[in-house]
């Protein structure tokens, strides 16, 4: 981590002052003792799990849950300040976090998966009532979802899977993480792609929102999507799943007329 920081000064109280990287005008940040301890272990060879194990050994296994929570905050802060990058492009502390929807379905983050294989697996279990929507206004939109590999911060996106009790993929959703604020309460997450059985759309979106709020520093209170007005079936499906029409946007981004719909968490 330290090789990414242009300036470091040790303070008498155990904190350090650093100059943030990639800033034309110098900007400085004070890291407290906890952040300093985490940063000292981020040497490019220790994995997140190794760092958690080292700290749990130092402070006791009974503090592992608290250490994990603190590290999640430190990692997200360091990432937003561009002090670190993840070699695999993931946010490891989200791994293993799931949100049960009922006794048959759970929602989880997508990690280290080839999205092409995920989508192909999803295609193999689609039913006649499957609902699929891709926003034409997605931030950093690309022509084909199959071109992407899953990464929580890949192109500013985050992915969720809907799994049944046999671990079979039943749905996938893509959100814009750039719209999920780390510092502003009542923030909005943009749903840019979703595919799942129509009957599960409502609870799938709820599960995704719950997972976002498990790891975000500030609460997301609204899920938003933009639907072309010439797709009335999609608008109806979102309406039946708890989304409300919020605005009509004419020639949005100079492209098309869309209906903005919000889902309140």
């Amino acid at each position: 981590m330290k090789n990414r920081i242009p300036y470091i000064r040790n303070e008498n109280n155990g904190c350090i002052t650093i100059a943030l990287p990639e800033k034309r005008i110098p900007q400085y940040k004070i890291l407290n003792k906890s952040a300093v301890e985490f940063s000292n272990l981020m040497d490019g060879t220790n994995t997140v799990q190794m760092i958690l194990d080292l700290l749990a050994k130092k402070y006791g296994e009974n503090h592992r849950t608290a250490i994990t929570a603190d590290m999640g905050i430190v990692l997200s802060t360091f990432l937003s300040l561009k002090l670190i990058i993840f070699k695999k492009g993931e946010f490891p502390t989200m791994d293993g976090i799931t949100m049960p929807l009922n006794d048959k379905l759970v929602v989880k983050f997508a990690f280290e998966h080839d999205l092409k294989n995920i989508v192909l697996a999803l295609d193999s279990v689609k039913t006649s009532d499957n609902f699929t929507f891709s926003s034409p206004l997605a931030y950093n939109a690309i022509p084909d979802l199959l071109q992407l590999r899953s990464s929580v911060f890949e192109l500013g996106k985050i992915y969720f899977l809907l799994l049944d009790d046999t671990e079979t993929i039943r749905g996938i959703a893509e959100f814009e993480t750039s719209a999920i604020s780390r510092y502003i309460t009542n923030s909005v997450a943009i749903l840019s792609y979703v595919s799942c059985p129509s009957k599960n759309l409502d609870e799938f979106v709820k599960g995704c929102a719950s997972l976002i709020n498990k790891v975000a520093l500030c609460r997301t209170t609204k899920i938003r999507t933009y639907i072309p007005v010439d797709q009335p079936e999609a608008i109806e499906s979102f309406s039946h799943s708890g989304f409300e029409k919020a605005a009509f946007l004419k020639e949005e981004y100079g492209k098309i007329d869309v209906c903005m719909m919000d889902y309140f968490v």
Side-chain angles (χ1 to χ4, degrees):
M1 170 180 155
K2 290 185 178 180
N3 61 357
R4 298 179 59 83
I5 302 173
Y7 171 81
I8 300 177
R9 184 179 70 197
N10 294 311
E11 308 294 350
N12 293 332
N13 59 2
C15 300
I16 62 173
T17 299
I18 63 171
L20 300 181
E22 301 180 23
K23 301 291 185 182
R24 289 191 300 173
I25 300 175
Q27 295 183 23
Y28 299 91
K29 178 80 174 179
I30 297 176
L31 303 183
N32 62 26
K33 293 180 181 180
S34 296
V36 171
E37 185 163 22
F38 282 118
S39 68
N40 287 337
L41 295 173
M42 297 177 186
D43 58 2
T45 57
N46 286 331
T47 65
V48 171
Q49 188 60 55
M50 290 167 64
I51 294 173
L52 290 175
D53 290 342
L54 287 169
L55 294 175
K57 183 177 180 180
K58 179 178 179 179
Y59 293 103
E61 281 295 329
N62 57 317
H63 294 293
R64 180 179 287 272
T65 300
I67 293 170
T68 302
D70 287 345
M71 190 165 191
I73 296 173
V74 170
L75 286 175
S76 61
T77 300
F78 283 3
L79 190 71
S80 66
L81 295 174
K82 298 184 178 180
L83 298 177
I84 59 172
I85 57 174
F86 291 114
K87 290 183 177 179
K88 294 182 180 179
E90 62 173 328
F91 194 159
T93 56
M94 293 178 182
D95 196 12
I97 299 177
T98 60
M99 176 59 60
L101 302 182
N102 51 49
D103 58 350
K104 296 288 186 181
L105 297 171
V106 299
V107 178
K108 67 177 293 185
F109 292 103
F111 288 99
E112 296 184 12
H113 294 288
D114 184 329
L115 275 188
K116 180 176 181 179
N117 292 335
I118 289 178
V119 175
L120 291 176
L122 177 61
D123 286 341
S124 68
V125 297
K126 280 183 178 178
T127 60
S128 58
D129 69 337
N130 214 77
F131 173 74
T132 299
F133 172 74
S134 181
S135 171
L137 302 179
Y139 174 72
N140 280 336
I142 61 171
D144 187 353
L145 184 69
L146 302 187
Q147 295 177 18
L148 286 178
R149 293 184 60 82
S150 80
S151 164
V152 172
F153 296 100
E154 180 94 25
L155 298 178
K157 299 177 186 294
I158 186 170
Y159 301 96
F160 298 89
L161 300 178
L162 179 66
L163 304 176
D164 65 15
D165 53 357
T166 65
E167 292 289 307
T168 300
I169 298 171
R170 295 292 177 178
I172 182 171
E174 174 189 86
F175 288 80
E176 309 290 353
T177 54
S178 58
I180 302 173
S181 172
R182 300 183 189 285
Y183 306 106
I184 302 174
T185 56
N186 302 322
S187 59
V188 179
I190 307 298
L191 175 62
S192 56
Y193 177 90
V194 63
S195 182
C196 69
S198 299
K199 63 182 180 180
N200 300 127
L201 179 60
D202 181 15
E203 55 187 347
F204 188 20
V205 171
K206 279 184 182 177
C208 293
S210 296
L211 281 183
I212 289 171
N213 283 326
K214 270 197 170 187
V215 299
L217 295 183
C218 296
R219 182 173 177 78
T220 292
T221 58
K222 193 183 300 181
I223 303 297
R224 176 168 291 168
T225 192
Y226 300 92
I227 309 167
V229 295
D230 61 0
Q231 295 185 23
E233 298 85 358
I235 293 175
E236 183 178 2
S237 293
F238 279 113
S239 295
H240 289 163
S241 299
F243 282 79
E244 300 177 11
K245 295 179 181 178
F248 170 77
L249 305 176
K250 186 174 179 59
E251 296 182 353
E252 184 70 357
Y253 299 115
K255 297 179 180 180
I256 53 175
D257 298 341
V258 297
C259 176
M260 184 174 77
M261 302 188 74
D262 289 339
Y263 183 101
F264 294 92
V265 179

